Amino acid sequence: MSTLRNNRLFATLGTIADVFGSAAAAASAVEAGRQPKARALRTLGIDADAFRSIGKL
């Protein structure tokens, strides 16, 4: 493998790990009745302010 291809592979794997980690952190927080951290929501493409308003009337 070339160095560039190797770097791209590791970057992709890092991104996948970030997404799964953020999903796990957000799910864990919701199950515990807490607000997930804004960084985890941002990684998942969820607006933190919109998430806070879920369930409020």
Side-chain angles (χ1 to χ4, degrees), residues 13-26 43-44:
L13 290 176
T15 301
I16 291 170
D18 284 343
V19 169
F20 277 107
S22 294
T43 300
L44 296 171

Side-chain angles (χ1 to χ4, degrees), residues 1-16:
M1 279 188 155
S2 71
T3 303
L4 179 59
R5 186 171 173 181
N6 233 2
N7 288 340
R8 216 177 304 167
L9 173 67
F10 286 122
T12 301
L13 290 176
T15 301
I16 291 170

Side-chain angles (χ1 to χ4, degrees), residues 21-38:
S22 294
S28 178
V30 169
E31 285 182 350
R34 295 180 282 112
Q35 171 73 28
K37 293 190 178 192

